[in-house]
PDB file of all heavy atoms in Angstrom:
ATOM      1  N   ASP B 107      14.695  -9.568 -14.032  1.00 94.00           N
ATOM      2  CA  ASP B 107      14.857  -9.777 -15.475  1.00 94.00           C
ATOM      3  C   ASP B 107      14.275 -11.114 -15.920  1.00 94.00           C
ATOM      4  O   ASP B 107      13.868 -11.271 -17.066  1.00 94.00           O
ATOM      5  CB  ASP B 107      16.348  -9.714 -15.865  1.00 94.00           C
ATOM      6  CG  ASP B 107      16.870  -8.277 -15.830  1.00 94.00           C
ATOM      7  OD1 ASP B 107      16.045  -7.350 -15.819  1.00 94.00           O
ATOM      8  OD2 ASP B 107      18.108  -8.103 -15.800  1.00 94.00           O
ATOM      9  N   GLY B 108      14.257 -12.084 -15.001  1.00 91.00           N
ATOM     10  CA  GLY B 108      13.676 -13.386 -15.315  1.00 91.00           C
ATOM     11  C   GLY B 108      12.158 -13.393 -15.286  1.00 91.00           C
ATOM     12  O   GLY B 108      11.550 -14.444 -15.484  1.00 91.00           O
ATOM     13  N   GLY B 109      11.533 -12.239 -15.025  1.00 91.00           N
ATOM     14  CA  GLY B 109      10.075 -12.161 -15.058  1.00 91.00           C
ATOM     15  C   GLY B 109       9.426 -12.329 -13.693  1.00 91.00           C
ATOM     16  O   GLY B 109       8.196 -12.399 -13.597  1.00 91.00           O
ATOM     17  N   THR B 110      10.224 -12.377 -12.635  1.00 96.00           N
ATOM     18  CA  THR B 110       9.678 -12.540 -11.288  1.00 96.00           C
ATOM     19  C   THR B 110       9.164 -11.197 -10.755  1.00 96.00           C
ATOM     20  O   THR B 110       9.840 -10.178 -10.905  1.00 96.00           O
ATOM     21  CB  THR B 110      10.782 -13.101 -10.351  1.00 96.00           C
ATOM     22  OG1 THR B 110      11.198 -14.377 -10.852  1.00 96.00           O
ATOM     23  CG2 THR B 110      10.288 -13.244  -8.927  1.00 96.00           C
ATOM     24  N   PHE B 111       7.974 -11.217 -10.150  1.00 96.00           N
ATOM     25  CA  PHE B 111       7.399 -10.029  -9.502  1.00 96.00           C
ATOM     26  C   PHE B 111       8.221  -9.731  -8.254  1.00 96.00           C
ATOM     27  O   PHE B 111       8.454 -10.619  -7.428  1.00 96.00           O
ATOM     28  CB  PHE B 111       5.945 -10.343  -9.132  1.00 96.00           C
ATOM     29  CG  PHE B 111       5.163  -9.176  -8.565  1.00 96.00           C
ATOM     30  CD1 PHE B 111       4.372  -8.387  -9.389  1.00 96.00           C
ATOM     31  CD2 PHE B 111       5.184  -8.899  -7.197  1.00 96.00           C
ATOM     32  CE1 PHE B 111       3.626  -7.329  -8.871  1.00 96.00           C
ATOM     33  CE2 PHE B 111       4.452  -7.850  -6.678  1.00 96.00           C
ATOM     34  CZ  PHE B 111       3.668  -7.060  -7.509  1.00 96.00           C
ATOM     35  N   ILE B 112       8.683  -8.487  -8.112  1.00 98.00           N
ATOM     36  CA  ILE B 112       9.597  -8.141  -7.019  1.00 98.00           C
ATOM     37  C   ILE B 112       8.906  -7.235  -5.996  1.00 98.00           C
ATOM     38  O   ILE B 112       8.442  -6.137  -6.333  1.00 98.00           O
ATOM     39  CB  ILE B 112      10.849  -7.412  -7.551  1.00 98.00           C
ATOM     40  CG1 ILE B 112      11.566  -8.239  -8.630  1.00 98.00           C
ATOM     41  CG2 ILE B 112      11.787  -7.054  -6.386  1.00 98.00           C
ATOM     42  CD1 ILE B 112      12.240  -9.493  -8.146  1.00 98.00           C
ATOM     43  N   THR B 113       8.855  -7.689  -4.759  1.00 98.00           N
ATOM     44  CA  THR B 113       8.352  -6.869  -3.661  1.00 98.00           C
ATOM     45  C   THR B 113       9.521  -6.552  -2.724  1.00 98.00           C
ATOM     46  O   THR B 113      10.166  -7.463  -2.208  1.00 98.00           O
ATOM     47  CB  THR B 113       7.267  -7.616  -2.873  1.00 98.00           C
ATOM     48  OG1 THR B 113       6.193  -7.942  -3.761  1.00 98.00           O
ATOM     49  CG2 THR B 113       6.735  -6.766  -1.728  1.00 98.00           C
ATOM     50  N   VAL B 114       9.788  -5.279  -2.548  1.00 98.00           N
ATOM     51  CA  VAL B 114      10.881  -4.853  -1.666  1.00 98.00           C
ATOM     52  C   VAL B 114      10.281  -4.300  -0.380  1.00 98.00           C
ATOM     53  O   VAL B 114       9.307  -3.542  -0.406  1.00 98.00           O
ATOM     54  CB  VAL B 114      11.768  -3.791  -2.362  1.00 98.00           C
ATOM     55  CG1 VAL B 114      12.809  -3.239  -1.398  1.00 98.00           C
ATOM     56  CG2 VAL B 114      12.443  -4.387  -3.588  1.00 98.00           C
ATOM     57  N   VAL B 115      10.864  -4.705   0.757  1.00 97.00           N
ATOM     58  CA  VAL B 115      10.329  -4.313   2.055  1.00 97.00           C
ATOM     59  C   VAL B 115      11.370  -3.495   2.818  1.00 97.00           C
ATOM     60  O   VAL B 115      12.549  -3.879   2.864  1.00 97.00           O
ATOM     61  CB  VAL B 115       9.954  -5.562   2.883  1.00 97.00           C
ATOM     62  CG1 VAL B 115       9.278  -5.169   4.196  1.00 97.00           C
ATOM     63  CG2 VAL B 115       9.054  -6.485   2.078  1.00 97.00           C
ATOM     64  N   ASP B 116      10.952  -2.403   3.383  1.00 91.00           N
ATOM     65  CA  ASP B 116      11.719  -1.617   4.353  1.00 91.00           C
ATOM     66  C   ASP B 116      12.911  -0.897   3.744  1.00 91.00           C
ATOM     67  O   ASP B 116      12.861   0.304   3.530  1.00 91.00           O
ATOM     68  CB  ASP B 116      12.152  -2.526   5.520  1.00 91.00           C
ATOM     69  CG  ASP B 116      12.863  -1.773   6.631  1.00 91.00           C
ATOM     70  OD1 ASP B 116      12.438  -0.654   6.953  1.00 91.00           O
ATOM     71  OD2 ASP B 116      13.844  -2.306   7.168  1.00 91.00           O
ATOM     72  N   ARG B 117      13.997  -1.593   3.507  1.00 84.00           N
ATOM     73  CA  ARG B 117      15.202  -0.966   2.974  1.00 84.00           C
ATOM     74  C   ARG B 117      15.141  -0.998   1.456  1.00 84.00           C
ATOM     75  O   ARG B 117      15.152  -2.064   0.857  1.00 84.00           O
ATOM     76  CB  ARG B 117      16.454  -1.710   3.441  1.00 84.00           C
ATOM     77  CG  ARG B 117      16.537  -1.801   4.943  1.00 84.00           C
ATOM     78  CD  ARG B 117      17.640  -2.745   5.395  1.00 84.00           C
ATOM     79  NE  ARG B 117      17.399  -3.116   6.788  1.00 84.00           N
ATOM     80  CZ  ARG B 117      18.037  -4.086   7.443  1.00 84.00           C
ATOM     81  NH1 ARG B 117      18.960  -4.790   6.828  1.00 84.00           N
ATOM     82  NH2 ARG B 117      17.756  -4.349   8.700  1.00 84.00           N
ATOM     83  N   GLY B 118      15.031   0.153   0.832  1.00 85.00           N
ATOM     84  CA  GLY B 118      14.893   0.204  -0.619  1.00 85.00           C
ATOM     85  C   GLY B 118      16.160  -0.220  -1.334  1.00 85.00           C
ATOM     86  O   GLY B 118      17.248  -0.215  -0.771  1.00 85.00           O
TER      87      GLY B 118
END
Side-chain angles (χ1 to χ4, degrees):
Chain B
D107 286 344
T110 299
F111 185 95
I112 304 291
T113 301
V114 174
V115 185
D116 184 40
R117 304 170 198 169

